[in-house]
């Protein structure tokens, strides 16, 4: 009885050297816009890093986050050709809300005048006349 064996050469055919094979993501990204896509991507990446450092310096580490997203779409044609489209998106750190302070007056309106200031405008006692030996304060009328 003869077994149906496949010759070893057909199981693992030798790999052909393809000088045009894309071997890295960087090579793939250079295909878009004649390399301008990758150049722009790197410039915008550097800009994001600068924005992160500026945010850190101005606001501290809280909320100091950003992101870069690269999307590559592929569409395979009947003859094995591949159409590709690439886009990039960057998100800079969110700026914190601006802050301010004010007071509410008796009419329910915002004012810069503090209610504590009203208490401070009570008549002030003149204490310029005091006894230096005892420290006793005398009212000046």
């Amino acid at each position: 009885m003869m077994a149906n064996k496949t010759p070893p050469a057909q199981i693992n055919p030798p790999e052909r050297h393809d000088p045009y094979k894309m071997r890295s993501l960087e090579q793939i990204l250079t295909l878009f816009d004649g390399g301008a896509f990758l150049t722009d991507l790197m410039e915008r990446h550097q800009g994001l890093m600068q924005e992160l450092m500026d945010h850190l310096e101005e606001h501290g580490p809280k909320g100091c986050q950003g992101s870069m997203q690269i999307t590559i779409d592929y569409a395979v044609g009947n003859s094995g050709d591949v159409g590709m489209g690439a886009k990039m998106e960057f998100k800079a750190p969110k700026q914190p809300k601006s802050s301010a302070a004010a007071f509410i007056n008796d009419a329910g309106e915002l004012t810069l005048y503090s209610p504590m200031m009203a208490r401070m405008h009570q008549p002030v006692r003149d204490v310029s006349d005091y006894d230096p030996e005892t420290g006793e304060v005398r009212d000046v009328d």
Side-chain angles (χ1 to χ4, degrees), residues 17-23 27 31:
H17 177 69
D18 181 357
Y20 303 106
K21 177 181 168 181
M22 298 283 103
R23 290 175 172 76
Q27 287 180 321
L31 296 175

Side-chain angles (χ1 to χ4, degrees), residues 33-54:
D33 300 328
F37 180 85
L38 181 58
T39 300
D40 185 36
L41 177 83
M42 294 307 296
E43 287 172 2
R44 291 182 63 186
H45 180 266
Q46 182 181 5
L48 175 61
M49 296 302 106
Q50 188 61 54
E51 286 183 74
L52 287 168
M53 292 304 295
D54 292 347

Side-chain angles (χ1 to χ4, degrees), residues 44-85:
R44 291 182 63 186
H45 180 266
Q46 182 181 5
L48 175 61
M49 296 302 106
Q50 188 61 54
E51 286 183 74
L52 287 168
M53 292 304 295
D54 292 347
H55 187 279
L56 178 64
E57 186 176 309
E58 189 174 336
H59 306 290
K62 186 174 182 182
C64 192
Q65 300 173 352
S67 66
M68 173 181 78
Q69 181 176 342
I70 303 168
T71 303
I72 302 175
D73 296 317
Y74 299 98
V76 180
N78 287 335
S79 61
D81 58 313
V82 180
M84 298 180 286

Side-chain angles (χ1 to χ4, degrees), residues 86-104:
K87 68 178 181 178
M88 62 181 108
E89 291 183 46
F90 290 85
K91 292 184 183 174
K94 291 183 181 179
Q95 295 297 316
K97 294 179 183 178
S98 295
S99 62
F103 303 95
I104 301 173

